[in-house]
């Protein structure tokens, strides 16, 4: 094997994402979103997806985010920290579908979301976090007092697929990121059965500084590069 | 009563004065981001943005915007010399691990025991928590920056929040357009009042009892 498979066509890169799939999608406020993979997923149009992503609020100056998948009615459930815009000026497709009972939403504090994803990738069965104690996010969760401080029990989040955005990859799938486009991409890369990374370029193994690699290629199964 | 309240930028200046040289600070989405504009050049305050930026700098001119660089509110930002980038998992590890000295957060309601509600208004049915619950629980000190009352004149400093909470017993100090109020185990202590306001006038717009500090001062910059 010469390394990780490299795709130029985004639809080919997402082969296997079928109805009912659970898909993690990187990005924060439309930065670090694997836009070609998201648009290809919309074109492939599998139904009843569960989408795990930070935000689906849309409206980031016309940039692509996961709200497009909700708008296309491909999503059965969203797990996110920021599902709707702060402003109530626009009723988003997600809110319309929530009101009609057509979609399910789980709002998770951002740090808990990141840690649940990290935990899944790291083989952790569950963890106690101080976030959300005494708030609506504690409802139905075990509270444990440890050294006089209360914590909530939280479970990992894994997925069949992770669609992530890197800056550069090498042929073994090692990834580096660019600035704040890193965000949820590294933990998501670890937490899916199949991780597909959209990057600007693939360089020969050895061309990335080993000290600078953020996501080791062991987590990355497919690479998408520009045509 | 038609007295002048502090403009937002003056409130931001007052909070900026409170931030110590060398401290690591997270600024919440919305008006708390104004605080960064009023740090004097001789003071180094390192701003953390929960989307993985440690060392957030000023906003760029439009032609200098970087498509891969924004703050937690999605606004384009720059970075200072010595900035670094981390993933969300690492960004919130440092939040929960109590490494941030201060977070300045907006508020819808604050209770007399330091409960903070700032993420959803009852009635909307859906809201975004973002990183607020983690930050409210994780930073060593939580400063709340908000108007003292709502646009309709309702009191926002209350005995008990009736809005859903972001964090329980987390607020250290409340900075409003009328007053600076410290949350203590003995209740709320009025430390400073806006110029021209008396403690009695501030109390009238505050639901729980305010203990007036023996060192009560006028808010100064």
């Amino acid at each position: 094997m010469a390394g990780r498979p490299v795709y130029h066509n985004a639809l080919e890169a997402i082969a296997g994402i079928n109805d009912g799939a659970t898909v993690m999608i990187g990005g924060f406020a439309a930065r670090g979103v694997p836009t070609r993979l998201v648009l290809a997923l919309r074109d492939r149009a599998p139904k009843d997806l569960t989408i795990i992503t930070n935000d689906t609020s849309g409206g980031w100056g016309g940039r692509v985010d996961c709200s497009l998948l909700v708008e296309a009615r491909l999503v059965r459930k969203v797990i996110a920290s920021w599902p709707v815009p702060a402003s109530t000026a626009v009723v988003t497709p997600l809110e319309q579908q929530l009101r009609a009972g057509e979609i399910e939403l789980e709002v998770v504090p951002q740090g808990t979301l990141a840690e649940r994803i990290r935990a899944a990738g790291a083989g952790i069965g569950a963890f106690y976090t101080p976030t959300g104690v005494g708030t609506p996010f504690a409802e139905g969760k075990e509270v444990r007092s440890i050294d006089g401080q209360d914590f909530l029990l939280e479970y990992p989040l894994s997925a069949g697929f992770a669609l992530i955005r890197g800056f550069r990859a090498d042929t073994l799938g090692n990834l580096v990121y660019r600035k704040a486009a890193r965000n949820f991409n590294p933990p998501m890369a670890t937490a899916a059965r199949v991780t597909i990374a959209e990057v600007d370029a693939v360089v020969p193994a050895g061309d990335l500084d080993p000290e600078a690699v953020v996501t080791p290629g062991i987590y990355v199964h497919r690479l998408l590069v520009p045509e | 009563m038609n007295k002048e309240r502090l403009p937002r930028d003056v409130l931001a200046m007052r909070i900026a004065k409170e931030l110590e040289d060398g401290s690591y600070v997270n600024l919440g989405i919305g008006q708390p981001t104004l605080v960064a504009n009023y740090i004097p050049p001789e003071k180094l305050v390192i701003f953390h943005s929960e989307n993985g930026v440690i060392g957030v700098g000023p906003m760029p001119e439009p032609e200098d915007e970087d498509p891969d660089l924004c703050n937690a509110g999605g606004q384009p930002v720059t970075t200072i010399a010595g900035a670094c980038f981390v993933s969300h998992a690492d960004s919130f590890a440092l939040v929960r691990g109590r490494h941030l000295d201060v977070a300045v957060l907006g508020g819808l309601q604050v209770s007399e025991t330091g409960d903070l509600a700032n993420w959803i208004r009852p009635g909307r049915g859906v809201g975004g928590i973002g990183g607020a619950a983690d930050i409210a629980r994780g930073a060593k000190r939580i400063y709340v920056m908000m108007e003292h009352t709502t646009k309709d004149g309702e009191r926002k400093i209350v005995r008990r929040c009736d809005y859903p909470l972001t964090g329980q017993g987390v607020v250290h100090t409340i900075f409003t357009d009328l007053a600076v109020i410290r949350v203590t185990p003995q209740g709320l202590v009025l430390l400073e009042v806006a110029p021209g306001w008396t403690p009695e006038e501030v109390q009238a717009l505050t639901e729980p009892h305010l203990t007036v500090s023996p060192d009560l001062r006028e808010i100064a910059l």
Side-chain angles (χ1 to χ4, degrees):
Chain A
M1 184 176 143
R4 295 306 195 190
V6 176
Y7 297 82
H8 296 276
N9 179 302
L11 270 171
E12 289 170 13
I14 61 164
I17 306 184
N18 296 325
D19 292 359
T22 297
V23 185
M24 287 181 182
I25 302 179
F28 177 100
R31 274 73 167 192
V33 173
T35 55
R36 289 180 65 209
L37 291 170
V38 170
L39 292 171
L41 188 59
R42 184 177 66 171
D43 291 345
R44 182 178 169 91
K47 300 287 188 291
D48 298 322
L49 297 174
T50 296
I51 297 293
I52 301 168
T53 195
N54 179 66
D55 53 282
T56 54
S57 61
W60 302 110
R63 295 160 181 258
V64 170
D65 74 3
C66 293
S67 63
L68 294 180
L69 303 175
V70 175
E71 196 172 3
R73 297 186 171 273
L74 306 180
V75 183
R76 182 184 64 78
K77 181 176 182 181
V78 167
I79 302 175
S81 87
W82 193 255
V84 292
S87 161
T88 51
V90 178
V91 179
T92 61
L94 176 70
E95 282 177 278
Q96 291 167 12
Q97 291 173 36
L98 276 172
R99 287 177 193 175
E102 295 164 348
I103 198 167
E104 196 185 331
L105 172 65
E106 181 180 346
V107 180
V108 181
Q110 207 167 99
T112 299
L113 182 63
E115 191 63 11
R116 288 177 66 189
I117 294 166
R118 196 200 70 81
I124 299 297
F127 60 92
Y128 288 99
T129 179
T131 299
V133 170
T135 77
F137 301 102
E139 274 168 31
K141 290 176 187 157
E142 180 193 325
V143 180
R144 172 80 68 94
S145 178
I146 301 171
D147 285 341
Q149 191 188 341
D150 284 347
F151 294 84
L152 301 182
L153 181 65
E154 296 281 358
Y155 289 94
L157 272 176
S158 60
F161 294 86
L163 308 184
I164 66 165
R165 181 75 166 98
F167 176 46
R168 286 180 201 285
D170 70 15
T171 48
L172 295 182
N174 293 307
L175 298 181
V176 294
Y177 297 89
R178 191 170 178 279
K179 301 193 177 183
R182 183 182 304 200
N183 59 62
F184 273 90
N185 290 297
M188 286 181 174
T190 70
R193 198 168 39 77
V194 178
T195 293
I196 309 166
E198 176 179 335
V199 294
D200 284 2
V202 179
V203 300
D207 278 13
L208 293 180
D209 176 0
E211 302 285 1
V213 169
V214 174
T215 293
I218 191 170
Y219 297 118
V220 179
H221 306 99
R222 303 177 194 169
L223 297 167
L224 175 69
V225 294
E227 313 258 354
Chain B
M1 195 160 63
N2 222 350
K3 288 197 189 189
E4 223 174 286
R5 298 180 173 213
L6 293 184
R8 263 181 195 192
D9 282 282
V10 176
L11 180 54
M13 287 177 209
R14 173 62 190 86
I15 295 171
K17 200 177 89 170
E18 201 73 16
L19 302 179
E20 288 176 18
D21 189 31
S23 57
Y24 284 84
V25 175
N26 180 290
L27 299 178
I29 294 171
Q31 56 170 310
T33 55
L34 293 174
V35 173
N37 298 341
Y38 300 106
I39 306 295
E42 67 276 12
K43 192 155 86 171
L44 176 66
V45 175
I46 299 171
F47 291 106
H48 163 260
S49 187
E50 60 265 33
N51 57 318
V53 188
I54 306 172
V56 178
M59 305 243 171
E61 296 299 323
E63 63 271 22
D64 296 328
E65 287 177 10
D66 187 310
D68 288 333
L69 188 52
C70 67
N71 64 17
Q75 298 164 304
V77 291
T78 57
T79 49
I80 63 167
C84 66
F85 301 108
V86 296
S87 77
H88 257 84
D90 293 327
S91 183
F92 280 92
L94 77 85
V95 167
R96 281 186 309 264
R98 293 209 175 273
H99 302 281
L100 288 176
D101 296 295
V102 173
V104 184
L105 302 176
L108 295 171
Q109 289 182 328
V110 178
S111 83
E112 63 181 328
T113 54
D115 294 350
L116 171 65
N118 77 349
W119 70 282
I120 188 172
R121 292 169 200 276
R124 189 178 182 192
V126 56
I129 184 66
D134 305 274
I135 294 164
R137 190 65 191 75
K140 289 178 202 162
R141 280 188 180 182
I142 301 299
Y143 295 161
V144 172
M145 175 181 187
M146 66 180 191
E147 280 77 37
H148 205 91
T149 53
T150 67
K151 271 179 253 157
D152 303 325
E154 283 171 36
R155 290 176 284 194
K156 297 177 71 170
I157 303 172
V158 293
R159 288 199 185 90
R160 201 186 147 85
C161 299
D162 46 24
Y163 285 19
L165 292 189
T166 307
Q168 189 179 47
V170 295
V171 177
H172 182 275
T173 308
I174 313 164
F175 295 84
T176 78
D177 50 1
L178 296 184
V180 178
I181 296 169
R182 172 83 30 90
V183 181
T184 77
Q186 289 75 41
L188 300 179
V189 177
L190 182 61
L191 300 178
E192 299 178 25
V193 291
W197 289 76
T198 66
E200 294 72 25
E201 288 163 343
V202 173
Q203 176 68 73
L205 297 173
T206 309
E207 189 185 40
H209 173 71
L210 296 175
T211 302
V212 179
S213 164
D215 302 321
L216 180 77
R217 283 181 297 178
E218 204 169 72
I219 294 176
L221 301 174

